[in-house]
Amino acid sequence: MKKIYACFFLLACLPPTYATQGGNFGAGLRLGTHFGFDFKYRLNTRNAIGFALGWGSSNFGNRYGYSDGQCYDANFYDSHRSYCNGIRFDYYNRYGQYGYSSFHLHADYLIHNYNVIKASFPMPLYYGPGVQYEYLRYYSAWLAVRGTIGLDFMPPNIPFDFFVELTPVFWFLPGPLLDMYGGVGARYWF
């Protein structure tokens, strides 16, 4: 984590000649349901394509109301192997946490509205549809449609923007499930 902070610090120290919001491609980091890389490509001032890849621990099994600690119990494990990822007792020690370790990838078509929030610098509300893919270790691959709504903070004279977003997700493969994701992050604009 210290290396990530150091990279952001070094990018922030670039000379002012690079400090513009005029670039069309932004790359950065996101925190939230998943930790990973976030990218945005501006098609024009109003429309953009956003995409991200990340890693995390999703607890899809919690929709059944179980507690992850129950996997330590041999009787519970024997009757709920898929919930416990098929790994008895030592899952916490091997992966640092319970739940399903996952790889995450999504892409959104985003529309920016600059008229909702009036501020001294651009602060557009953005929204749009997208698709999401997740591979859950020891479980399966999942595919979903999503709808993102977020707020982008674009301070003048620095090459960064900062965002916060919420995303309802409808998983249709392998089965129907409604979920909610969220995230915050920052991007450097080239």
Side-chain angles (χ1 to χ4, degrees):
M1 198 65 173
K2 290 179 182 180
K3 290 179 183 177
I4 293 168
Y5 290 135
C7 288
F8 269 114
F9 177 76
L10 291 173
L11 288 172
C13 292
L14 288 174
T17 55
Y18 297 103
T20 66
Q21 279 285 348
N24 286 333
F25 182 74
L29 297 175
R30 75 169 28 240
L31 299 172
T33 310
H34 289 86
F35 170 79
F37 302 101
D38 191 89
F39 307 95
K40 192 183 235 183
Y41 180 74
R42 292 182 182 142
L43 301 171
N44 53 46
T45 57
R46 184 172 163 81
N47 302 312
I49 303 292
F51 47 101
L53 60 97
W55 300 265
S57 61
S58 300
N59 290 309
F60 284 92
N62 285 342
R63 69 181 182 273
Y64 301 116
Y66 303 140
S67 163
D68 288 329
Q70 289 173 302
C71 292
Y72 277 111
D73 179 86
N75 292 327
F76 180 85
Y77 171 82
D78 289 338
S79 59
H80 299 89
R81 287 175 192 259
S82 65
Y83 172 77
C84 297
N85 298 331
I87 301 172
R88 181 188 253 169
F89 307 125
D90 65 348
Y91 188 78
Y92 183 84
N93 293 329
R94 288 181 63 188
Y95 299 109
Q97 55 192 337
Y98 279 101
Y100 302 102
S101 183
S102 65
F103 169 75
H104 168 92
L105 180 66
H106 78 254
D108 298 320
Y109 179 79
L110 301 171
I111 301 164
H112 294 72
N113 186 336
Y114 291 84
N115 299 322
V116 175
I117 298 175
K118 302 293 183 190
S120 60
F121 57 87
M123 197 180 321
L125 178 73
Y126 63 89
Y127 47 87
V131 294
Q132 182 168 319
Y133 168 81
E134 243 172 83
Y135 178 77
L136 287 75
R137 187 182 307 168
Y138 303 115
Y139 198 61
S140 63
W142 289 58
L143 191 60
V145 292
R146 50 187 270 138
T148 298
I149 184 165
L151 191 59
D152 207 352
F153 303 92
M154 305 162 104
N157 301 322
I158 65 169
F160 286 97
D161 74 330
F162 306 91
F163 65 90
V164 58
E165 63 185 33
L166 284 175
T167 307
V169 176
F170 177 72
W171 297 100
F172 60 88
L173 287 176
L177 175 67
L178 189 60
D179 207 351
M180 181 67 79
Y181 281 41
V184 297
R187 288 178 289 256
Y188 179 79
W189 288 88
F190 299 92

